């Protein structure tokens, strides 16, 4: 578990989604060893769309995740593509758990790569915190 | 608003329609076009549209709602109109269209289609 991240999240718990209500697009690229990860974050007022590109600009599989009634458990569904291995669905689900945001994720990271998944997730969460998009009270894993 | 080194090009703009501010983002991936049009601050209904490789002379398209409202034919018509346009330029790229709208009237959707085509990335 990312205890450092838990601490960071607690300390930035006062951060709100940015004040202006326009749509904001952020793009960045990170290179790890021999892998290039592209990230695109589109912030809408009530939802965040994220695309993760693994070495290419292919769209990948699309997932939607959010906390759902009655007990705020996180639900995730595959919207386009997606096999039962569902590399992106885990990321989408954990993003919602850690940030409390309503997430749509498109991701083409290949399956059977948990280390890469974890790194991509970490970078994404760090960026979401930097951009000030995380909700004041992030959900906890049950 | 395009970063020249990022592999995905995008364009963002807004338009006013019947008193509603519509924000539109168009993204061009390697194998898809994504269009988000929102008035409600969320992606709303998501549709997928692509041109079918067929035996007939006339092109055929497959358009479906993959998330959200399945009972709004105007949304499907919008996706159909856009994929028609896209496929005449880049035949192999399907469209993922997200429409988070307060009003689904044909006038609004026509304006959105016109604005998207005017600012297209294909």
């Amino acid at each position: 578990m990312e205890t450092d991240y838990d601490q960071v999240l607690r300390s930035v718990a006062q951060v709100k989604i940015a004040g202006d209500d326009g749509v904001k697009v952020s793009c960045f690229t990170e290179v790890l060893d021999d892998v290039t990860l592209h990230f695109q974050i589109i912030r809408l007022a009530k939802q965040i769309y994220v695309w993760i590109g693994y070495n290419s600009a292919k769209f990948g599989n699309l997932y939607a995740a959010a906390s759902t009634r009655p007990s705020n458990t996180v639900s995730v569904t595959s919207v386009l593509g997606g096999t039962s291995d569902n590399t992106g669905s885990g990321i989408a689900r954990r993003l919602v758990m850690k940030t409390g945001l309503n997430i749509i994720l498109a991701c083409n990271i290949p399956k059977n790569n948990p280390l890469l998944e974890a790194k991509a997730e970490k970078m994404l969460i760090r960026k979401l915190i930097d951009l000030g998009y995380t909700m004041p009270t992030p959900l906890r894993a049950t | 608003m395009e970063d020249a080194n990022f592999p995905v090009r995008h364009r963002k703009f807004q338009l006013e329609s019947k008193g509603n501010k519509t924000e539109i983002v168009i993204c061009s991936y390697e194998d898809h076009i994504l269009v988000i049009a929102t008035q409600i601050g969320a992606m709303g209904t998501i549709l997928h549209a692509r041109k079918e490789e067929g035996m007939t002379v006339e092109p055929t398209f497959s358009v479906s709602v993959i998330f959200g409202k399945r009972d709004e034919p105007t949304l499907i018509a919008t996706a159909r109109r856009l994929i028609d346009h896209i496929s005449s330029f880049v035949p192999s790229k399907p469209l993922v269209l997200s429409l988070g709208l307060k009003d689904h009237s044909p006038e609004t959707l026509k304006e959105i289609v016109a604005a998207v085509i005017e600012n297209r990335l294909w």
Side-chain angles (χ1 to χ4, degrees):
Chain A
M1 274 308 290
E2 304 284 359
T3 50
D4 305 284
Y5 264 85
D6 288 349
Q7 286 166 5
V8 171
L9 283 175
R10 267 194 293 276
S11 70
V12 297
Q14 315 318 315
V15 175
K16 296 195 258 286
I17 290 188
D20 72 280
D21 54 359
V23 168
K24 190 157 184 307
V25 183
S26 314
C27 305
F28 62 103
T29 299
E30 302 259 2
V31 180
L32 304 162
D33 308 321
D34 52 348
V35 165
T36 303
L37 287 175
H38 303 291
F39 296 88
Q40 190 182 40
I41 301 175
I42 301 185
R43 191 222 62 190
L44 311 174
K46 299 179 188 168
Q47 206 169 47
I48 298 214
Y49 163 84
V50 178
W51 171 72
I52 305 177
Y54 168 85
N55 283 341
S56 76
K58 291 195 150 79
F59 189 64
N61 302 320
L62 189 62
Y63 304 91
S67 60
T68 45
R69 290 193 287 252
S71 52
N72 272 344
T73 4
V74 179
S75 301
V76 61
T77 181
S78 161
V79 175
L80 189 60
T83 59
S84 54
D85 312 84
N86 287 339
T87 302
S89 71
I91 299 180
R93 199 165 158 274
R94 285 186 294 272
L95 282 179
V96 176
M97 286 197 305
K98 291 184 181 173
T99 64
L101 300 163
N102 198 326
I103 296 272
I104 305 277
L105 169 74
C107 165
N108 71 344
I109 293 179
K111 53 187 183 177
N112 296 330
N113 220 327
L115 211 57
L116 184 60
E117 250 187 84
K119 286 184 188 168
E121 212 177 294
K122 202 164 159 175
M123 290 172 182
L124 207 37
I125 292 188
R126 189 192 310 141
K127 190 69 173 184
L128 288 171
I129 293 176
D130 285 347
L131 291 167
Y133 296 161
T134 52
M135 297 288 274
T137 50
L139 301 168
R140 287 280 161 257
T142 47
Chain B
M1 301 192 82
E2 292 175 31
D3 174 358
N5 294 323
F6 197 72
V8 176
R9 290 177 300 147
H10 75 270
R11 196 165 283 168
K12 175 175 80 96
F13 55 97
Q14 64 188 48
L15 63 104
E16 272 283 329
S17 172
K18 293 192 171 178
N20 292 317
K21 182 173 80 160
T22 311
E23 312 222 44
I24 300 183
V25 184
I26 304 176
C27 298
S28 173
Y29 299 92
E30 188 180 317
D31 58 349
H32 269 87
I33 300 278
L34 169 70
V35 176
I36 301 175
T38 179
Q39 295 172 341
I40 59 173
M43 288 183 68
T45 300
I46 305 180
L47 300 102
H48 185 252
R50 69 172 197 279
K51 182 176 179 184
E52 300 279 324
E53 294 306 313
M55 306 286 281
T56 60
V57 175
E58 294 293 319
T60 50
F61 299 98
S62 160
V63 181
S64 57
V65 175
I66 53 178
F67 190 77
K69 284 182 185 293
R70 288 159 207 275
D71 53 359
E72 277 287 349
T74 49
L75 303 182
I76 300 200
T78 306
R80 172 71 175 74
R81 177 75 189 89
L82 281 175
I83 188 64
D84 201 335
H85 199 273
I86 293 171
S87 64
S88 57
F89 290 84
V90 273
S92 55
K93 274 197 187 179
L95 165 70
V96 175
L97 172 65
S98 137
L99 293 169
L101 306 175
K102 290 179 185 162
D103 119 72
H104 298 123
S105 66
E107 297 79 35
T108 302
L109 287 163
K110 276 198 190 124
E111 285 183 44
I112 291 176
V113 169
V116 168
I117 290 178
E118 194 184 313
N119 288 281
R120 67 180 191 269
L121 286 176
W122 58 84

